[in-house]
Amino acid sequence: MNDTVEGGPQPEPIYAVVFGCIMVLGLPLNAVSLWILLRRHSLRSPNVVFMVNLAISDLLLAISLPMRVYFYATGTWPLGSSVCILTTEIYRKNISCSSIFITFICVDRLLAVVYPLRSRHLRTSSNAWKAVVFVWLFVLLMNIPQSLSMSRALKNCTVAVCFDYHHCWTYDPAWVYFYVALVFTMLAVNVVCTTLVSWTLRSHLSDSAKVRNKVNVMLIFFMNLVMFTVCFIPLYVGLLTIKGTAIRPLVCLATMNCCLDPLMYYFSLDNFWKKKEDVDLETREE
């Protein structure tokens, strides 16, 4: 790929600023969140397992953002097609993994609140880790064909520079439809979980009395719905309806999920700041 190409992308300072702000917020927020989750919480909790992997996914995205900032600030890409593809795949993996892990967190909270006794054999760290490994492998395998297609296109591209490769390569419509169907399915799961938990907390007062800080419980579901409706759904719908660089604002919105996810850790977990020993004791008492 050429560093500068006649007729190629020009500097876009506004996007450099936007991605720079997301990076400045997302990098420390997710680094601190991951440190606290690993240091103060037990990985025997399936909820913590999902949140740790969500933080890892968001941290990888934040680490890749300096490259986007440089590209949009200068309009050039000096690192070649391989690094461009790697950076792009990190972004795609974050969007896919984040939406799936958020859905897992939502389902886990549903089981804990609505079916606390019947779900004990399902809500184990072993099952959570199996699900996490499956998700990472699934997303990796799903992105391999697109990476190979993108690599072939960029090698022969004389116009595009990284992140502005629409002149040379576009998403396969079949894959886009698959991802759109997947993200809407996960949104439906989140809506159903939110409805059932809300109904349980309001209608079954005697059973729900054991649930500490019901506002925080519902905040988890509210944050999940915000993430889907603001970050994920617009991007995937845009891939079907928008061509060229007009998709950039939706990419910015989707990237913001790495800044919003830590809010779920900070404000939705009563014991987020407690020591691991205290959390383990509370987990055994539940």
Side-chain angles (χ1 to χ4, degrees):
M1 292 169 57
N2 298 329
D3 291 353
T4 57
V5 183
E6 184 179 355
Q10 300 299 315
E12 297 280 356
I14 182 63
Y15 291 107
V17 171
V18 171
F19 283 115
C21 291
I22 296 174
M23 176 190 68
V24 169
L25 288 174
L27 193 57
L29 283 175
N30 285 285
V32 171
S33 298
L34 183 60
W35 182 84
I36 293 175
L37 287 168
L38 292 174
R39 183 70 179 267
R40 293 179 174 267
H41 291 263
S42 172
L43 290 178
R44 291 194 294 271
S45 167
N47 199 41
V48 173
V49 171
F50 295 137
M51 286 190 174
V52 164
N53 282 273
L54 179 59
I56 291 173
S57 176
D58 290 338
L59 188 60
L60 289 174
L61 174 65
I63 291 173
S64 73
L65 289 181
M67 299 181 187
R68 286 183 179 263
V69 173
Y70 177 85
F71 170 73
Y72 286 114
T74 65
T76 62
W77 182 258
L79 301 178
S81 60
S82 297
V83 178
C84 174
I85 294 172
L86 176 62
T87 306
T88 303
E89 290 307 313
I90 289 175
Y91 176 83
R92 290 180 189 165
K93 286 180 177 62
N94 169 264
I95 300 300
S96 302
C97 289
S98 292
S99 58
I100 297 174
F101 289 141
I102 287 172
T103 303
F104 280 172
I105 291 171
C106 191
V107 173
D108 178 75
R109 294 296 84 196
L110 165 73
L111 295 176
V113 174
V114 181
Y115 310 104
L117 297 179
R118 283 182 287 176
S119 66
R120 281 184 176 270
H121 68 287
L122 293 175
R123 296 182 59 248
T124 65
S125 61
S126 175
N127 287 338
W129 280 112
K130 290 176 184 177
V132 163
V133 171
F134 173 80
V135 169
W136 285 110
L137 289 177
F138 170 77
V139 172
L140 178 63
L141 292 175
M142 292 293 291
N143 284 337
I144 287 177
Q146 296 180 64
S147 299
L148 295 176
S149 173
M150 182 179 176
S151 177
R152 290 192 295 267
L154 291 183
K155 286 180 180 179
N156 300 320
C157 189
T158 59
V159 176
V161 183
C162 193
F163 310 125
D164 265 333
Y165 39 73
H166 58 279
H167 296 290
C168 305
W169 182 83
T170 57
Y171 289 93
D172 185 340
W175 285 110
V176 177
Y177 281 113
F178 171 79
Y179 283 121
V180 169
L182 180 62
V183 76
F184 271 101
T185 299
M186 290 188 290
L187 174 61
V189 171
N190 278 267
V191 170
V192 171
C193 290
T194 302
T195 303
L196 289 176
V197 169
S198 177
W199 180 79
T200 298
L201 293 179
R202 290 186 178 186
S203 303
H204 296 69
L205 297 179
S206 59
D207 296 333
S208 63
K210 298 179 181 179
V211 180
R212 288 166 297 203
N213 204 334
K214 300 171 189 176
V215 173
N216 281 10
V217 171
M218 290 309 304
L219 184 58
I220 296 176
F221 294 93
F222 173 75
M223 289 298 300
N224 289 350
L225 292 177
V226 168
M227 222 79 66
F228 272 90
T229 56
V230 174
C231 297
F232 303 139
I233 295 294
L235 176 63
Y236 284 110
V237 173
L239 290 175
L240 290 175
T241 59
I242 299 176
K243 303 298 182 181
T245 58
I247 196 73
R248 286 178 185 168
L250 299 183
V251 173
C252 294
L253 276 178
T255 308
M256 286 176 58
N257 86 89
C258 74
C259 298
L260 296 176
D261 285 335
L263 297 178
M264 182 166 53
Y265 317 140
Y266 291 137
F267 302 114
S268 300
L269 292 180
D270 293 334
N271 52 19
F272 186 73
W273 298 101
K274 292 183 180 180
K275 293 182 180 179
K276 182 182 293 187
E277 293 80 5
D278 298 332
V279 177
D280 290 343
L281 178 60
E282 292 181 2
T283 301
R284 290 195 294 270
E285 290 175 350
E286 290 180 349

